[in-house]
Amino acid sequence: MSRRSGNGMMPHLKPVEKIELSEKHIGWRIAFFILFLVIAASAFASCVGTFFSVEPGWHEIEADSAGETNCGSEFVFMYYLGGSGVDATAENKALKIVYTDACEMAHKLFHNKEMFEGVNNVYYINQHPNEVIEVDRGLYQAFEVLKQYDNRNIYMAPVYSQYDEIFYCEDDSQLVNYDPRLSEDVAAEYIQIADFANNPEMVDIKLLGDNKLQLYVSEEYLAYAKENYITDFIDFFWMKNAFVVDYLVETMIEKGYTHGTLTSYDGFSRTLDTSENSYSFNIYDCVDLTIYQAGVMQYKGANSLVYFRDYMMSDMDRRHYYVLSSGEVRTSYVDVTDGFSKEATDSFYVYCKDMSCAEILMQAVNVYVAEELSEEAVAELKEAGIYSIYCEDSKIKYNEPGLVLTDVLENERIKYITELIQ
């Protein structure tokens, strides 16, 4: 590149003058020079210290992207630094390290497409059916929760891989190869896979204790898988972040960090705080393809919340949604009985103070992944200690007595009211 000024000519610069330095008092000059460096370095250090210092209060803690690949981009971790009485700057530094490490491990453990050295993750398990495998305690606990609630959703992995294709379709014409609502052949295939998925004699995670397990796959299913190019027998799919949130939160608690709240982009949230501090969560509703903030729920202390929805709210949601030109939507909420995506209502919030996100999900999944919302099923959740909020006909319906809902929307287009249901 030619070094020219804007008019195409070199700028006129004064010639450099040669300066002779006297050798008198050279020692003093060296001393003053060193003193200048010390003062400058001290001033610089002071500026840097001020720049990196953190004031007590609420801050977003971000996983260090400079490290190994992690799942931090899928979460917002808000934390009240200095709340435990320690220096906020020091706590921020230490917490970031712990959170980054936890995000990296969670990413590896639940990954279903890649193997990582020294980590027997979901991908590794799929590649080693009928072998005894030792896994990290965090992953083992996830399988324990699934087993406790007899949830079989993870065994729909072959269908989930087809839904991944749906979400990356560029136009509606491509859906026919993957969408059971558009193809009888696809529907029949998904039902056949569902028959395998719902039968423990065909496929099952056997928990053997001491963090050891076995992905049992029958000879019949192995033959079917080989014939149909199936390589994945288990996949947490859209449920993954419920377990990841729990893993991250439990890690934070074990390390003594209990003054924050962690929320995933896809609807799983946990508040770590065991005090009576106040928190809030926005309640959304989708009407005629328009998303409204219908109101805000207020709560205190620790809480776990699962938020189901049949609409996208961020670019990340493209991983789990496809909107047809007709306005119909296909989501990752796949019914384990037949492989169809189903949403009982636009938005459905379920929460509990005494359960983890995964435990709530296990009990609420069949309430939402259904053709319509059952008031009887919602009441049964309440009996189990899980409260619900959902919007219907411009009403915010809820069933926790005493729940405070604020900022209820009212404008020229829509007006919401609240209704306590039994």
mmCIF file of all heavy atoms in Angstrom, residues 99-145:
data_model
loop_
_atom_site.group_PDB
_atom_site.id
_atom_site.type_symbol
_atom_site.label_atom_id
_atom_site.label_comp_id
_atom_site.label_asym_id
_atom_site.label_seq_id
_atom_site.Cartn_x
_atom_site.Cartn_y
_atom_site.Cartn_z
ATOM 1 N N TYR A 99 -17.857 -21.074 37.349
ATOM 2 C CA TYR A 99 -18.951 -21.139 36.373
ATOM 3 C C TYR A 99 -18.449 -21.590 35.007
ATOM 4 O O TYR A 99 -19.094 -22.424 34.345
ATOM 5 C CB TYR A 99 -19.618 -19.769 36.273
ATOM 6 C CG TYR A 99 -20.789 -19.715 35.334
ATOM 7 C CD1 TYR A 99 -21.876 -20.569 35.479
ATOM 8 C CD2 TYR A 99 -20.829 -18.790 34.279
ATOM 9 C CE1 TYR A 99 -22.965 -20.513 34.616
ATOM 10 C CE2 TYR A 99 -21.912 -18.727 33.414
ATOM 11 C CZ TYR A 99 -22.971 -19.592 33.587
ATOM 12 O OH TYR A 99 -24.042 -19.547 32.729
ATOM 13 N N THR A 100 -17.310 -21.083 34.582
ATOM 14 C CA THR A 100 -16.743 -21.492 33.291
ATOM 15 C C THR A 100 -16.431 -22.979 33.279
ATOM 16 O O THR A 100 -16.769 -23.696 32.331
ATOM 17 C CB THR A 100 -15.465 -20.687 32.982
ATOM 18 O OG1 THR A 100 -15.788 -19.303 32.866
ATOM 19 C CG2 THR A 100 -14.831 -21.153 31.674
ATOM 20 N N ASP A 101 -15.796 -23.457 34.345
ATOM 21 C CA ASP A 101 -15.465 -24.885 34.430
ATOM 22 C C ASP A 101 -16.721 -25.744 34.391
ATOM 23 O O ASP A 101 -16.763 -26.790 33.715
ATOM 24 C CB ASP A 101 -14.679 -25.171 35.715
ATOM 25 C CG ASP A 101 -13.268 -24.605 35.686
ATOM 26 O OD1 ASP A 101 -12.794 -24.251 34.585
ATOM 27 O OD2 ASP A 101 -12.637 -24.523 36.758
ATOM 28 N N ALA A 102 -17.758 -25.302 35.100
ATOM 29 C CA ALA A 102 -19.010 -26.067 35.135
ATOM 30 C C ALA A 102 -19.684 -26.080 33.771
ATOM 31 O O ALA A 102 -20.221 -27.109 33.336
ATOM 32 C CB ALA A 102 -19.951 -25.480 36.186
ATOM 33 N N CYS A 103 -19.663 -24.931 33.071
ATOM 34 C CA CYS A 103 -20.256 -24.862 31.729
ATOM 35 C C CYS A 103 -19.509 -25.745 30.744
ATOM 36 O O CYS A 103 -20.124 -26.366 29.857
ATOM 37 C CB CYS A 103 -20.264 -23.413 31.233
ATOM 38 S SG CYS A 103 -21.519 -22.357 32.004
ATOM 39 N N GLU A 104 -18.221 -25.815 30.880
ATOM 40 C CA GLU A 104 -17.430 -26.666 29.991
ATOM 41 C C GLU A 104 -17.744 -28.141 30.229
ATOM 42 O O GLU A 104 -17.922 -28.912 29.281
ATOM 43 C CB GLU A 104 -15.942 -26.391 30.199
ATOM 44 C CG GLU A 104 -15.490 -25.037 29.674
ATOM 45 C CD GLU A 104 -14.028 -24.749 29.959
ATOM 46 O OE1 GLU A 104 -13.388 -25.572 30.649
ATOM 47 O OE2 GLU A 104 -13.531 -23.708 29.487
ATOM 48 N N MET A 105 -17.834 -28.532 31.492
ATOM 49 C CA MET A 105 -18.123 -29.933 31.797
ATOM 50 C C MET A 105 -19.541 -30.307 31.380
ATOM 51 O O MET A 105 -19.773 -31.379 30.813
ATOM 52 C CB MET A 105 -17.922 -30.194 33.291
ATOM 53 C CG MET A 105 -18.213 -31.636 33.704
ATOM 54 S SD MET A 105 -17.259 -32.877 32.739
ATOM 55 C CE MET A 105 -15.625 -32.641 33.453
ATOM 56 N N ALA A 106 -20.506 -29.423 31.647
ATOM 57 C CA ALA A 106 -21.893 -29.703 31.252
ATOM 58 C C ALA A 106 -21.996 -29.870 29.747
ATOM 59 O O ALA A 106 -22.711 -30.748 29.250
ATOM 60 C CB ALA A 106 -22.808 -28.578 31.740
ATOM 61 N N HIS A 107 -21.303 -29.008 29.006
ATOM 62 C CA HIS A 107 -21.295 -29.094 27.547
ATOM 63 C C HIS A 107 -20.808 -30.464 27.093
ATOM 64 O O HIS A 107 -21.382 -31.086 26.184
ATOM 65 C CB HIS A 107 -20.408 -27.997 26.976
ATOM 66 C CG HIS A 107 -20.169 -28.109 25.500
ATOM 67 N ND1 HIS A 107 -21.080 -27.686 24.562
ATOM 68 C CD2 HIS A 107 -19.107 -28.610 24.799
ATOM 69 C CE1 HIS A 107 -20.601 -27.916 23.348
ATOM 70 N NE2 HIS A 107 -19.425 -28.472 23.467
ATOM 71 N N LYS A 108 -19.763 -30.941 27.711
ATOM 72 C CA LYS A 108 -19.183 -32.228 27.320
ATOM 73 C C LYS A 108 -20.085 -33.396 27.708
ATOM 74 O O LYS A 108 -20.293 -34.317 26.914
ATOM 75 C CB LYS A 108 -17.810 -32.386 27.970
ATOM 76 C CG LYS A 108 -16.760 -31.407 27.475
ATOM 77 C CD LYS A 108 -15.457 -31.568 28.254
ATOM 78 C CE LYS A 108 -14.404 -30.578 27.790
ATOM 79 N NZ LYS A 108 -13.148 -30.683 28.560
ATOM 80 N N LEU A 109 -20.617 -33.361 28.915
ATOM 81 C CA LEU A 109 -21.394 -34.486 29.424
ATOM 82 C C LEU A 109 -22.641 -34.763 28.605
ATOM 83 O O LEU A 109 -22.967 -35.921 28.314
ATOM 84 C CB LEU A 109 -21.794 -34.237 30.877
ATOM 85 C CG LEU A 109 -20.684 -34.269 31.923
ATOM 86 C CD1 LEU A 109 -21.243 -33.922 33.290
ATOM 87 C CD2 LEU A 109 -20.011 -35.637 31.957
ATOM 88 N N PHE A 110 -23.372 -33.711 28.231
ATOM 89 C CA PHE A 110 -24.662 -33.897 27.565
ATOM 90 C C PHE A 110 -24.563 -33.819 26.043
ATOM 91 O O PHE A 110 -25.583 -33.878 25.359
ATOM 92 C CB PHE A 110 -25.663 -32.869 28.090
ATOM 93 C CG PHE A 110 -26.067 -33.104 29.518
ATOM 94 C CD1 PHE A 110 -25.366 -32.515 30.565
ATOM 95 C CD2 PHE A 110 -27.136 -33.929 29.823
ATOM 96 C CE1 PHE A 110 -25.724 -32.736 31.884
ATOM 97 C CE2 PHE A 110 -27.505 -34.167 31.140
ATOM 98 C CZ PHE A 110 -26.793 -33.558 32.174
ATOM 99 N N HIS A 111 -23.357 -33.708 25.531
ATOM 100 C CA HIS A 111 -23.175 -33.604 24.075
ATOM 101 C C HIS A 111 -23.485 -34.940 23.414
ATOM 102 O O HIS A 111 -23.047 -35.986 23.865
ATOM 103 C CB HIS A 111 -21.744 -33.190 23.752
ATOM 104 C CG HIS A 111 -21.619 -32.407 22.487
ATOM 105 N ND1 HIS A 111 -21.902 -32.949 21.249
ATOM 106 C CD2 HIS A 111 -21.253 -31.122 22.256
ATOM 107 C CE1 HIS A 111 -21.699 -32.032 20.315
ATOM 108 N NE2 HIS A 111 -21.314 -30.916 20.897
ATOM 109 N N ASN A 112 -24.260 -34.893 22.339
ATOM 110 C CA ASN A 112 -24.648 -36.136 21.667
ATOM 111 C C ASN A 112 -24.039 -36.290 20.275
ATOM 112 O O ASN A 112 -24.363 -37.234 19.560
ATOM 113 C CB ASN A 112 -26.176 -36.215 21.555
ATOM 114 C CG ASN A 112 -26.734 -35.205 20.579
ATOM 115 O OD1 ASN A 112 -26.280 -34.064 20.531
ATOM 116 N ND2 ASN A 112 -27.714 -35.621 19.787
ATOM 117 N N LYS A 113 -23.145 -35.361 19.903
ATOM 118 C CA LYS A 113 -22.567 -35.413 18.562
ATOM 119 C C LYS A 113 -21.049 -35.486 18.567
ATOM 120 O O LYS A 113 -20.446 -35.638 17.504
ATOM 121 C CB LYS A 113 -22.988 -34.180 17.755
ATOM 122 C CG LYS A 113 -24.496 -34.031 17.551
ATOM 123 C CD LYS A 113 -25.072 -35.174 16.744
ATOM 124 C CE LYS A 113 -26.572 -34.966 16.494
ATOM 125 N NZ LYS A 113 -27.190 -36.115 15.788
ATOM 126 N N GLU A 114 -20.437 -35.390 19.722
ATOM 127 C CA GLU A 114 -18.978 -35.305 19.762
ATOM 128 C C GLU A 114 -18.437 -36.004 21.003
ATOM 129 O O GLU A 114 -19.031 -35.951 22.076
ATOM 130 C CB GLU A 114 -18.549 -33.837 19.751
ATOM 131 C CG GLU A 114 -17.056 -33.613 19.661
ATOM 132 C CD GLU A 114 -16.707 -32.145 19.576
ATOM 133 O OE1 GLU A 114 -17.633 -31.308 19.435
ATOM 134 O OE2 GLU A 114 -15.505 -31.819 19.675
ATOM 135 N N MET A 115 -17.286 -36.642 20.845
ATOM 136 C CA MET A 115 -16.621 -37.311 21.958
ATOM 137 C C MET A 115 -15.514 -36.406 22.492
ATOM 138 O O MET A 115 -14.857 -35.696 21.732
ATOM 139 C CB MET A 115 -16.027 -38.641 21.497
ATOM 140 C CG MET A 115 -15.520 -39.528 22.619
ATOM 141 S SD MET A 115 -14.870 -41.113 21.991
ATOM 142 C CE MET A 115 -16.361 -41.799 21.239
ATOM 143 N N PHE A 116 -15.322 -36.435 23.809
ATOM 144 C CA PHE A 116 -14.271 -35.645 24.443
ATOM 145 C C PHE A 116 -13.388 -36.573 25.266
ATOM 146 O O PHE A 116 -13.883 -37.481 25.942
ATOM 147 C CB PHE A 116 -14.873 -34.564 25.342
ATOM 148 C CG PHE A 116 -15.758 -33.595 24.613
ATOM 149 C CD1 PHE A 116 -17.125 -33.807 24.515
ATOM 150 C CD2 PHE A 116 -15.218 -32.473 24.001
ATOM 151 C CE1 PHE A 116 -17.942 -32.920 23.842
ATOM 152 C CE2 PHE A 116 -16.027 -31.576 23.324
ATOM 153 C CZ PHE A 116 -17.394 -31.804 23.237
ATOM 154 N N GLU A 117 -12.103 -36.336 25.209
ATOM 155 C CA GLU A 117 -11.149 -37.184 25.895
ATOM 156 C C GLU A 117 -11.429 -37.209 27.396
ATOM 157 O O GLU A 117 -11.564 -36.182 28.043
ATOM 158 C CB GLU A 117 -9.724 -36.690 25.647
ATOM 159 C CG GLU A 117 -8.649 -37.596 26.247
ATOM 160 C CD GLU A 117 -7.248 -37.131 25.922
ATOM 161 O OE1 GLU A 117 -7.104 -36.145 25.165
ATOM 162 O OE2 GLU A 117 -6.293 -37.753 26.417
ATOM 163 N N GLY A 118 -11.520 -38.405 27.923
ATOM 164 C CA GLY A 118 -11.703 -38.575 29.362
ATOM 165 C C GLY A 118 -13.120 -38.380 29.845
ATOM 166 O O GLY A 118 -13.367 -38.414 31.060
ATOM 167 N N VAL A 119 -14.071 -38.173 28.932
ATOM 168 C CA VAL A 119 -15.468 -37.939 29.323
ATOM 169 C C VAL A 119 -16.375 -38.932 28.603
ATOM 170 O O VAL A 119 -16.462 -38.927 27.373
ATOM 171 C CB VAL A 119 -15.915 -36.499 28.989
ATOM 172 C CG1 VAL A 119 -17.379 -36.302 29.373
ATOM 173 C CG2 VAL A 119 -15.036 -35.486 29.703
ATOM 174 N N ASN A 120 -17.025 -39.763 29.366
ATOM 175 C CA ASN A 120 -17.998 -40.696 28.780
ATOM 176 C C ASN A 120 -19.361 -40.005 28.774
ATOM 177 O O ASN A 120 -20.112 -40.060 29.743
ATOM 178 C CB ASN A 120 -18.042 -41.986 29.591
ATOM 179 C CG ASN A 120 -16.741 -42.761 29.498
ATOM 180 O OD1 ASN A 120 -15.986 -42.628 28.526
ATOM 181 N ND2 ASN A 120 -16.447 -43.569 30.507
ATOM 182 N N ASN A 121 -19.667 -39.360 27.659
ATOM 183 C CA ASN A 121 -20.874 -38.546 27.564
ATOM 184 C C ASN A 121 -21.992 -39.269 26.824
ATOM 185 O O ASN A 121 -21.917 -40.472 26.568
ATOM 186 C CB ASN A 121 -20.545 -37.202 26.907
ATOM 187 C CG ASN A 121 -19.992 -37.368 25.495
ATOM 188 O OD1 ASN A 121 -19.902 -38.480 24.972
ATOM 189 N ND2 ASN A 121 -19.623 -36.262 24.876
ATOM 190 N N VAL A 122 -23.042 -38.530 26.461
ATOM 191 C CA VAL A 122 -24.180 -39.127 25.761
ATOM 192 C C VAL A 122 -23.732 -39.733 24.432
ATOM 193 O O VAL A 122 -24.161 -40.841 24.066
ATOM 194 C CB VAL A 122 -25.285 -38.068 25.538
ATOM 195 C CG1 VAL A 122 -26.394 -38.627 24.653
ATOM 196 C CG2 VAL A 122 -25.853 -37.596 26.870
ATOM 197 N N TYR A 123 -22.865 -39.033 23.713
ATOM 198 C CA TYR A 123 -22.364 -39.566 22.443
ATOM 199 C C TYR A 123 -21.625 -40.879 22.669
ATOM 200 O O TYR A 123 -21.841 -41.857 21.937
ATOM 201 C CB TYR A 123 -21.434 -38.549 21.784
ATOM 202 C CG TYR A 123 -20.797 -39.038 20.502
ATOM 203 C CD1 TYR A 123 -21.484 -38.972 19.290
ATOM 204 C CD2 TYR A 123 -19.515 -39.581 20.500
ATOM 205 C CE1 TYR A 123 -20.909 -39.424 18.117
ATOM 206 C CE2 TYR A 123 -18.936 -40.049 19.326
ATOM 207 C CZ TYR A 123 -19.629 -39.961 18.140
ATOM 208 O OH TYR A 123 -19.059 -40.425 16.980
ATOM 209 N N TYR A 124 -20.778 -40.913 23.665
ATOM 210 C CA TYR A 124 -19.991 -42.127 23.955
ATOM 211 C C TYR A 124 -20.911 -43.290 24.298
ATOM 212 O O TYR A 124 -20.709 -44.423 23.829
ATOM 213 C CB TYR A 124 -19.029 -41.852 25.110
ATOM 214 C CG TYR A 124 -18.118 -43.011 25.438
ATOM 215 C CD1 TYR A 124 -16.871 -43.131 24.838
ATOM 216 C CD2 TYR A 124 -18.511 -43.996 26.346
ATOM 217 C CE1 TYR A 124 -16.033 -44.203 25.128
ATOM 218 C CE2 TYR A 124 -17.691 -45.071 26.648
ATOM 219 C CZ TYR A 124 -16.448 -45.163 26.035
ATOM 220 O OH TYR A 124 -15.623 -46.234 26.323
ATOM 221 N N ILE A 125 -21.927 -43.015 25.101
ATOM 222 C CA ILE A 125 -22.865 -44.074 25.487
ATOM 223 C C ILE A 125 -23.558 -44.647 24.258
ATOM 224 O O ILE A 125 -23.716 -45.866 24.123
ATOM 225 C CB ILE A 125 -23.898 -43.524 26.493
ATOM 226 C CG1 ILE A 125 -23.201 -43.120 27.798
ATOM 227 C CG2 ILE A 125 -24.985 -44.563 26.774
ATOM 228 C CD1 ILE A 125 -24.091 -42.353 28.755
ATOM 229 N N ASN A 126 -23.982 -43.766 23.336
ATOM 230 C CA ASN A 126 -24.640 -44.240 22.113
ATOM 231 C C ASN A 126 -23.736 -45.111 21.260
ATOM 232 O O ASN A 126 -24.216 -46.001 20.544
ATOM 233 C CB ASN A 126 -25.116 -43.035 21.287
ATOM 234 C CG ASN A 126 -26.484 -42.536 21.700
ATOM 235 O OD1 ASN A 126 -27.381 -43.323 21.978
ATOM 236 N ND2 ASN A 126 -26.640 -41.220 21.751
ATOM 237 N N GLN A 127 -22.434 -44.848 21.310
ATOM 238 C CA GLN A 127 -21.491 -45.620 20.507
ATOM 239 C C GLN A 127 -21.097 -46.941 21.159
ATOM 240 O O GLN A 127 -20.414 -47.753 20.527
ATOM 241 C CB GLN A 127 -20.221 -44.787 20.243
ATOM 242 C CG GLN A 127 -20.472 -43.456 19.578
ATOM 243 C CD GLN A 127 -21.274 -43.576 18.305
ATOM 244 O OE1 GLN A 127 -20.927 -44.347 17.408
ATOM 245 N NE2 GLN A 127 -22.368 -42.808 18.209
ATOM 246 N N HIS A 128 -21.529 -47.159 22.393
ATOM 247 C CA HIS A 128 -21.130 -48.377 23.118
ATOM 248 C C HIS A 128 -22.336 -49.048 23.770
ATOM 249 O O HIS A 128 -22.387 -49.222 24.993
ATOM 250 C CB HIS A 128 -20.071 -48.044 24.169
ATOM 251 C CG HIS A 128 -18.793 -47.516 23.598
ATOM 252 N ND1 HIS A 128 -18.621 -46.205 23.223
ATOM 253 C CD2 HIS A 128 -17.625 -48.158 23.315
ATOM 254 C CE1 HIS A 128 -17.400 -46.041 22.750
ATOM 255 N NE2 HIS A 128 -16.774 -47.201 22.785
ATOM 256 N N PRO A 129 -23.338 -49.443 22.962
ATOM 257 C CA PRO A 129 -24.495 -50.130 23.543
ATOM 258 C C PRO A 129 -24.087 -51.463 24.159
ATOM 259 O O PRO A 129 -23.143 -52.117 23.715
ATOM 260 C CB PRO A 129 -25.420 -50.326 22.336
ATOM 261 C CG PRO A 129 -24.512 -50.324 21.149
ATOM 262 C CD PRO A 129 -23.429 -49.342 21.489
ATOM 263 N N ASN A 130 -24.796 -51.818 25.225
ATOM 264 C CA ASN A 130 -24.613 -53.092 25.920
ATOM 265 C C ASN A 130 -23.250 -53.233 26.594
ATOM 266 O O ASN A 130 -22.828 -54.347 26.919
ATOM 267 C CB ASN A 130 -24.866 -54.263 24.958
ATOM 268 C CG ASN A 130 -26.288 -54.268 24.440
ATOM 269 O OD1 ASN A 130 -27.235 -54.084 25.203
ATOM 270 N ND2 ASN A 130 -26.446 -54.439 23.128
ATOM 271 N N GLU A 131 -22.565 -52.121 26.814
ATOM 272 C CA GLU A 131 -21.311 -52.135 27.559
ATOM 273 C C GLU A 131 -21.511 -51.420 28.897
ATOM 274 O O GLU A 131 -22.301 -50.489 28.994
ATOM 275 C CB GLU A 131 -20.189 -51.440 26.783
ATOM 276 C CG GLU A 131 -19.818 -52.124 25.472
ATOM 277 C CD GLU A 131 -18.670 -51.403 24.773
ATOM 278 O OE1 GLU A 131 -17.972 -50.616 25.446
ATOM 279 O OE2 GLU A 131 -18.481 -51.635 23.571
ATOM 280 N N VAL A 132 -20.797 -51.866 29.898
ATOM 281 C CA VAL A 132 -20.828 -51.189 31.192
ATOM 282 C C VAL A 132 -19.897 -49.971 31.113
ATOM 283 O O VAL A 132 -18.733 -50.093 30.754
ATOM 284 C CB VAL A 132 -20.390 -52.122 32.332
ATOM 285 C CG1 VAL A 132 -20.313 -51.353 33.653
ATOM 286 C CG2 VAL A 132 -21.367 -53.284 32.460
ATOM 287 N N ILE A 133 -20.453 -48.810 31.442
ATOM 288 C CA ILE A 133 -19.724 -47.550 31.296
ATOM 289 C C ILE A 133 -19.799 -46.765 32.593
ATOM 290 O O ILE A 133 -20.864 -46.673 33.207
ATOM 291 C CB ILE A 133 -20.333 -46.701 30.155
ATOM 292 C CG1 ILE A 133 -20.293 -47.471 28.829
ATOM 293 C CG2 ILE A 133 -19.607 -45.371 30.020
ATOM 294 C CD1 ILE A 133 -21.109 -46.817 27.730
ATOM 295 N N GLU A 134 -18.690 -46.188 33.014
ATOM 296 C CA GLU A 134 -18.686 -45.301 34.167
ATOM 297 C C GLU A 134 -18.764 -43.858 33.688
ATOM 298 O O GLU A 134 -18.009 -43.456 32.806
ATOM 299 C CB GLU A 134 -17.422 -45.497 35.008
ATOM 300 C CG GLU A 134 -17.420 -44.653 36.286
ATOM 301 C CD GLU A 134 -16.253 -44.976 37.203
ATOM 302 O OE1 GLU A 134 -15.495 -45.920 36.895
ATOM 303 O OE2 GLU A 134 -16.106 -44.282 38.227
ATOM 304 N N VAL A 135 -19.690 -43.102 34.235
ATOM 305 C CA VAL A 135 -19.910 -41.727 33.799
ATOM 306 C C VAL A 135 -19.730 -40.768 34.972
ATOM 307 O O VAL A 135 -19.672 -41.180 36.137
ATOM 308 C CB VAL A 135 -21.313 -41.545 33.185
ATOM 309 C CG1 VAL A 135 -21.498 -42.426 31.970
ATOM 310 C CG2 VAL A 135 -22.406 -41.809 34.224
ATOM 311 N N ASP A 136 -19.650 -39.488 34.670
ATOM 312 C CA ASP A 136 -19.591 -38.455 35.696
ATOM 313 C C ASP A 136 -20.858 -38.489 36.540
ATOM 314 O O ASP A 136 -21.952 -38.794 36.050
ATOM 315 C CB ASP A 136 -19.430 -37.085 35.034
ATOM 316 C CG ASP A 136 -19.322 -35.962 36.044
ATOM 317 O OD1 ASP A 136 -20.378 -35.402 36.432
ATOM 318 O OD2 ASP A 136 -18.193 -35.646 36.442
ATOM 319 N N ARG A 137 -20.707 -38.159 37.817
ATOM 320 C CA ARG A 137 -21.839 -38.199 38.738
ATOM 321 C C ARG A 137 -22.991 -37.323 38.257
ATOM 322 O O ARG A 137 -24.167 -37.688 38.404
ATOM 323 C CB ARG A 137 -21.386 -37.742 40.138
ATOM 324 C CG ARG A 137 -22.495 -37.724 41.193
ATOM 325 C CD ARG A 137 -23.085 -39.109 41.400
ATOM 326 N NE ARG A 137 -24.205 -39.092 42.324
ATOM 327 C CZ ARG A 137 -25.092 -40.082 42.440
ATOM 328 N NH1 ARG A 137 -24.974 -41.158 41.676
ATOM 329 N NH2 ARG A 137 -26.069 -39.996 43.306
ATOM 330 N N GLY A 138 -22.687 -36.174 37.658
ATOM 331 C CA GLY A 138 -23.736 -35.288 37.191
ATOM 332 C C GLY A 138 -24.608 -35.914 36.133
ATOM 333 O O GLY A 138 -25.841 -35.770 36.145
ATOM 334 N N LEU A 139 -24.010 -36.637 35.200
ATOM 335 C CA LEU A 139 -24.779 -37.310 34.155
ATOM 336 C C LEU A 139 -25.544 -38.492 34.732
ATOM 337 O O LEU A 139 -26.704 -38.743 34.364
ATOM 338 C CB LEU A 139 -23.842 -37.769 33.030
ATOM 339 C CG LEU A 139 -24.495 -38.399 31.800
ATOM 340 C CD1 LEU A 139 -25.529 -37.466 31.188
ATOM 341 C CD2 LEU A 139 -23.438 -38.778 30.759
ATOM 342 N N TYR A 140 -24.921 -39.201 35.640
ATOM 343 C CA TYR A 140 -25.586 -40.346 36.278
ATOM 344 C C TYR A 140 -26.847 -39.890 37.008
ATOM 345 O O TYR A 140 -27.898 -40.535 36.935
ATOM 346 C CB TYR A 140 -24.628 -41.021 37.250
ATOM 347 C CG TYR A 140 -25.098 -42.373 37.758
ATOM 348 C CD1 TYR A 140 -24.828 -43.536 37.023
ATOM 349 C CD2 TYR A 140 -25.804 -42.497 38.954
ATOM 350 C CE1 TYR A 140 -25.252 -44.780 37.481
ATOM 351 C CE2 TYR A 140 -26.227 -43.730 39.415
ATOM 352 C CZ TYR A 140 -25.949 -44.871 38.672
ATOM 353 O OH TYR A 140 -26.376 -46.102 39.120
ATOM 354 N N GLN A 141 -26.754 -38.741 37.696
ATOM 355 C CA GLN A 141 -27.914 -38.222 38.413
ATOM 356 C C GLN A 141 -29.050 -37.853 37.466
ATOM 357 O O GLN A 141 -30.223 -38.007 37.805
ATOM 358 C CB GLN A 141 -27.504 -37.008 39.250
ATOM 359 C CG GLN A 141 -26.651 -37.361 40.461
ATOM 360 C CD GLN A 141 -26.171 -36.143 41.226
ATOM 361 O OE1 GLN A 141 -25.927 -35.091 40.636
ATOM 362 N NE2 GLN A 141 -26.036 -36.277 42.534
ATOM 363 N N ALA A 142 -28.704 -37.381 36.277
ATOM 364 C CA ALA A 142 -29.737 -37.063 35.288
ATOM 365 C C ALA A 142 -30.510 -38.318 34.910
ATOM 366 O O ALA A 142 -31.752 -38.302 34.826
ATOM 367 C CB ALA A 142 -29.098 -36.432 34.052
ATOM 368 N N PHE A 143 -29.793 -39.418 34.699
ATOM 369 C CA PHE A 143 -30.469 -40.676 34.380
ATOM 370 C C PHE A 143 -31.277 -41.185 35.567
ATOM 371 O O PHE A 143 -32.330 -41.823 35.383
ATOM 372 C CB PHE A 143 -29.445 -41.722 33.939
ATOM 373 C CG PHE A 143 -28.861 -41.467 32.579
ATOM 374 C CD1 PHE A 143 -27.492 -41.251 32.423
ATOM 375 C CD2 PHE A 143 -29.666 -41.431 31.453
ATOM 376 C CE1 PHE A 143 -26.947 -41.016 31.172
ATOM 377 C CE2 PHE A 143 -29.128 -41.187 30.192
ATOM 378 C CZ PHE A 143 -27.761 -40.981 30.054
ATOM 379 N N GLU A 144 -30.816 -40.901 36.779
ATOM 380 C CA GLU A 144 -31.576 -41.302 37.966
ATOM 381 C C GLU A 144 -32.928 -40.603 38.012
ATOM 382 O O GLU A 144 -33.947 -41.214 38.366
ATOM 383 C CB GLU A 144 -30.777 -40.979 39.236
ATOM 384 C CG GLU A 144 -29.630 -41.934 39.511
ATOM 385 C CD GLU A 144 -28.910 -41.612 40.809
ATOM 386 O OE1 GLU A 144 -28.745 -40.402 41.109
ATOM 387 O OE2 GLU A 144 -28.508 -42.555 41.525
ATOM 388 N N VAL A 145 -32.945 -39.318 37.662
ATOM 389 C CA VAL A 145 -34.206 -38.567 37.651
ATOM 390 C C VAL A 145 -35.154 -39.148 36.600
ATOM 391 O O VAL A 145 -36.351 -39.345 36.857
ATOM 392 C CB VAL A 145 -33.951 -37.068 37.385
ATOM 393 C CG1 VAL A 145 -35.273 -36.322 37.200
ATOM 394 C CG2 VAL A 145 -33.151 -36.451 38.521
#
